[in-house]
Amino acid sequence: MVLRALKQIGEEIGIEKGFEDDLLAPREDQIISILEIKNGQINEIENIEYDPEADDGYQYFYAGGNASLVGGVMGIGGVSPFFIDPSKIEEGKVERCSDFDKFYQVEYEDDLVTKLLDFFKKNDDEFQELESDWAYIKEFEGRETEERHEYFIKVYATAPQNKNIDWVEGDCSLCGKTGEMRDIRLPFFSLEVTNYNFGLASNEVDKGPLKLCQECEGKITSGWKYLNNIFGNNYLLIPEPRYGTMEGLDVFFKLAEENASDFEKLNNLVWERDIYETLEFRFLVTEKQQSKLNILKSVSNYHLFAKKFQNENLVLDEDLKYFPNEGLDVRIRKLENYFDLEEILKFFFVNERNYYFNELYGQPFHFYQLYNTDLPKNLNSKFKHLLYAHRDELFSFIYETNPDAISKEGL
């Protein structure tokens, strides 16, 4: 089950790891004003240029990325009320920042954030006059804020995806725990898109077929985000345990991070013994559409793809094994697995100028891309139709290792 595999990945890497790329840092060389607010006055302690490599004691700034915690594009800019975009300090946007106070009260019992937000509304003109990209309130009316600012960074991963969706009481579908079930922050299980999640309206968590507690949901989302940061929005390889253990996961991540952009190379690498003996994979072909993600194809037990062919040399002593060799340009000499067959099948698709379709936008072309990548506009329309007409057969033959998917008549 995909969700259980993602949960195990989240457990292995830690919830915070999956959200690292969401915690966006300011751009290098942007100016940050370090402020002290005392007796109702804004005092600039210093202005610094953001440098992620600098050792100035201010390396915990984040621009955020999750509007639900109000720090994103809809709010006042930063991941906490102590790190803000001064140009966004205006009453209407500050009004949206109630979540800051809500999360603050979970850990602290004072009214510091309430008073700070009120101060923003009363002094918005002064903040907008600051000649800086960001402002960090280091001290507010005698209280140091660093610990509180770092608290907001810590709770970022547990913030709700959509504050218009109410959490409900129930039993977790994965661990069975009874308690508060939350909205699921997976783009292919989106409650933000009406009728996208099994025909449900956008706030009906309690009526959904899947309910997750905060702990399980956090681990699943962390695992998904980490994989998606590696692979992007066209395909994913989701590692699943063969025998209950995720041993070999660190080796897989190392290989994937180095080679995810080279689909052919990655497929050759993941069958290394250290990975193959403990992990198998689910192959997803995906397509990003605004706030949702469509799963176009899903192949379980993707390790079948590694099935080796025995003694399939197409060239023996410089002679073709099955055809006369005279005048032929031999490009493929040996078949080792189904991935090699994909290269041969490409030769069956020839455009009007007798060129076979081998590259897409300067990169090696693979049949799974027929589902989520536009073909070049200058391709002949009949040629495009031929590719699309046979894509299901080609996909099944190669990626599902189904030798019966392509008929002799089709070839």
Side-chain angles (χ1 to χ4, degrees):
M1 183 179 179
V2 171
L3 295 183
R4 292 191 184 278
L6 292 174
K7 179 183 175 181
Q8 285 188 272
I9 293 170
E11 288 175 345
E12 291 289 330
I13 65 173
I15 291 179
E16 292 79 11
K17 185 72 174 176
F19 286 84
E20 278 184 351
D21 280 9
D22 278 4
L23 285 167
L24 307 174
R27 294 195 303 275
E28 195 168 347
D29 298 330
Q30 284 191 319
I31 303 300
I32 302 172
S33 293
I34 310 299
L35 306 179
E36 175 192 64
I37 298 174
K38 190 174 184 179
N39 298 323
Q41 300 295 316
I42 301 173
N43 303 311
E44 288 189 67
I45 300 174
E46 62 177 320
N47 287 328
I48 64 172
E49 286 189 3
Y50 180 72
D51 179 1
E53 305 299 326
D55 185 22
D56 56 16
Y58 297 117
Q59 296 309 301
Y60 43 78
F61 298 128
Y62 292 103
N66 183 352
S68 67
L69 201 53
V70 193
V73 294
M74 298 299 292
I76 58 178
V79 76
S80 94
F82 307 108
F83 184 64
I84 60 171
D85 178 347
S87 69
K88 293 184 178 180
I89 298 300
E90 55 186 70
E91 186 171 356
K93 291 184 178 180
V94 175
E95 287 289 349
R96 302 191 189 107
C97 295
S98 59
D99 276 5
F100 276 141
D101 200 30
K102 173 184 174 182
F103 277 90
Y104 182 78
Q105 294 297 331
V106 172
E107 183 72 12
Y108 300 96
E109 296 181 356
D110 58 61
D111 58 356
L112 186 149
V113 169
T114 302
K115 290 183 176 179
L116 179 60
L117 295 178
D118 287 340
F119 184 85
F120 286 157
K121 287 186 280 188
K122 294 175 182 177
N123 300 273
D124 53 355
D125 289 344
E126 289 187 59
F127 282 101
Q128 292 181 30
E129 290 173 1
L130 292 173
E131 295 181 356
S132 58
D133 302 291
W134 298 94
Y136 173 59
I137 294 91
K138 183 180 181 181
E139 185 176 323
F140 180 71
E141 299 299 354
R143 291 180 178 174
E144 295 283 342
T145 65
E146 180 177 339
E147 176 191 307
R148 291 166 167 80
H149 174 64
E150 290 182 334
Y151 165 72
F152 277 97
I153 296 172
K154 180 180 178 181
V155 301
Y156 177 89
T158 61
Q161 175 74 6
N162 188 329
K163 59 185 177 183
N164 296 318
I165 298 176
D166 295 327
W167 295 2
V168 299
E169 292 295 316
D171 297 327
C172 180
S173 301
L174 285 191
C175 70
K177 179 180 177 181
T178 299
E180 200 169 43
M181 303 296 111
R182 63 169 301 155
D183 54 309
I184 303 169
R185 294 170 292 177
L186 295 174
F188 55 84
F189 201 91
S190 176
L191 277 174
E192 295 187 14
V193 181
T194 302
N195 297 325
Y196 182 60
N197 180 16
F198 301 96
L200 301 179
S202 61
N203 61 351
E204 295 179 335
V205 175
D206 57 327
K207 296 180 181 179
L210 181 66
K211 297 182 178 67
L212 296 178
C213 65
Q214 179 175 316
E215 184 177 358
C216 286
E217 193 279 337
K219 292 175 180 177
I220 289 169
T221 303
S222 176
W224 171 263
K225 284 180 173 290
Y226 192 72
L227 286 173
N228 198 60
N229 287 337
I230 294 174
F231 293 105
N233 296 315
N234 285 330
Y235 81 93
L236 283 91
L237 290 180
I238 299 179
E240 300 177 339
R242 278 183 176 274
Y243 308 109
T245 175
M246 294 295 265
E247 185 178 349
L249 190 64
D250 56 339
V251 179
F252 166 70
F253 280 144
K254 181 180 179 181
L255 295 175
E257 287 168 355
E258 293 174 353
N259 303 287
S261 61
D262 189 334
F263 185 71
E264 182 173 1
K265 186 175 182 180
L266 178 61
N267 273 275
N268 289 330
L269 289 172
V270 295
W271 315 129
E272 288 194 1
R273 184 173 180 178
D274 290 343
I275 300 175
Y276 181 83
E277 290 183 349
T278 58
L279 300 176
E280 58 188 37
F281 293 89
R282 181 177 295 270
F283 176 49
L284 299 184
V285 178
T286 59
E287 179 186 43
K288 181 72 173 177
Q289 289 186 344
Q290 296 181 344
S291 60
K292 65 179 182 178
L293 187 84
N294 294 325
I295 296 177
L296 306 176
K297 288 288 185 178
S298 176
V299 181
S300 59
N301 196 15
Y302 189 62
H303 262 305
L304 288 175
F305 190 67
K307 183 177 180 180
K308 298 292 183 181
F309 300 148
Q310 298 295 325
N311 302 319
E312 284 301 332
N313 293 295
L314 300 183
V315 179
L316 295 174
D317 299 326
E318 297 304 316
D319 288 327
L320 291 181
K321 186 175 180 181
Y322 299 107
F323 297 97
N325 191 26
E326 293 181 8
L328 293 179
D329 178 15
V330 180
R331 302 190 186 187
I332 300 174
R333 294 176 171 269
K334 184 178 181 181
L335 292 178
E336 294 186 349
N337 55 34
Y338 271 82
F339 201 73
D340 292 334
L341 285 175
E342 181 183 59
E343 192 66 24
I344 288 181
L345 283 172
K346 291 178 191 178
F347 284 94
F348 283 74
F349 293 88
V350 181
N351 67 10
E352 69 279 6
R353 295 186 298 275
N354 287 327
Y355 291 113
Y356 80 103
F357 195 40
N358 185 49
E359 289 190 345
L360 188 60
Y361 304 112
Q363 300 294 324
F365 165 70
H366 300 286
F367 288 130
Y368 81 85
Q369 292 174 282
L370 291 172
Y371 292 93
N372 57 21
T373 308
D374 292 334
L375 294 177
K377 293 181 180 179
N378 60 356
L379 278 185
N380 180 277
S381 59
K382 291 183 178 180
F383 183 50
K384 286 185 181 181
H385 176 75
L386 184 67
L387 287 164
Y388 284 130
H390 292 281
R391 67 179 183 178
D392 288 339
E393 304 160 40
L394 294 166
F395 185 93
S396 182
F397 184 85
I398 297 299
Y399 305 109
E400 296 177 327
T401 58
N402 177 8
D404 298 320
I406 302 178
S407 65
K408 291 182 179 179
E409 291 78 10
L411 288 176

